[in-house]
Amino acid sequence: MFKHIMLPIDRHLPPEVRKAAEVAAQMAKWQRAKITLVCVTGAHMGESSEAQAELDKELAAFTEQLAAEGGSDVSMRKIHSVDVAAEVDSDLTRAAEEIGADLVIVGTHAPRITDYIFSSHAGYLAKHASMSVFVVR
C-alpha cells in the first residue's frame, strides 16, 4: 500500500518526533516501505560548526536506530532554509513531492491557543500535501 514514508524531524528530536518515528518504523516494517527523514534547518545565531557537527552525528545515530527498529531502508535529507519558521511548511510539502513519498508521518503537539490562529506544521501538511498524512499526537 505504501512504499515511501517521509518523516519530518526537528533537529532536537522532541517527544512528538520520537513517537512519530516509532509509528513510522512499525509502518515501514508492516508495509516494507523505505523511510526518508527530512529536517529543515537554518543557521542559528552563535552556533558553531562544532555544534552543527554534533547535531549531524545525533541525527545520523537516530537514522541508524530507526533503520534497525523498522528493518527498512532509512535515509536522511537536510534542507537548508534562510528563515525556517516562515519556510518550513512549504519546504516539507515540496520535499514530500520531490522524494516521491506516498505517506507522511508527522508528530504534533496538543492544540494550543495559537493553533486557532496559525496552523501547526502537521495541520499544514494535512491540508496541503497531495499524499496521505498520518498525524501522531
Side-chain angles (χ1 to χ4, degrees):
M1 184 175 203
F2 297 110
K3 303 256 185 270
H4 193 170
I5 299 169
M6 182 179 104
L7 177 66
I9 61 169
D10 180 290
R11 56 189 265 159
H12 300 294
L13 301 172
E16 297 87 0
V17 169
R18 292 185 183 276
K19 188 172 181 182
E22 291 173 16
V23 171
Q26 291 301 314
M27 182 70 78
K29 187 183 233 179
W30 175 50
Q31 296 286 310
R32 294 187 183 103
K34 66 180 177 178
I35 300 173
T36 301
L37 306 178
V38 177
C39 182
V40 179
T41 63
H44 295 280
M45 295 293 287
E47 184 177 66
S48 69
S49 59
E50 291 172 356
Q52 185 62 40
E54 184 63 32
L55 283 171
D56 288 347
K57 275 189 0 189
E58 288 175 23
L59 292 176
F62 185 70
T63 301
E64 290 174 18
Q65 175 190 354
L66 194 60
E69 288 175 12
S72 61
D73 179 31
V74 180
S75 61
M76 177 72 181
R77 179 174 182 167
K78 285 177 62 176
I79 299 171
H80 180 74
S81 175
V82 175
D83 186 352
V84 175
E87 298 175 342
V88 68
D89 293 329
S90 59
D91 285 344
L92 290 174
T93 305
R94 190 175 328 103
E97 294 286 341
E98 288 174 359
I99 66 172
D102 51 7
L103 175 64
V104 177
I105 298 179
V106 59
T108 191
H109 53 77
R112 300 177 188 145
I113 191 70
T114 55
D115 292 325
Y116 294 100
I117 301 166
F118 305 105
S119 179
S120 67
H121 302 305
Y124 183 92
L125 281 168
K127 289 178 191 171
H128 298 282
S130 61
M131 68 286 304
S132 297
V133 178
F134 187 142
V135 179
V136 179
R137 182 173 299 154

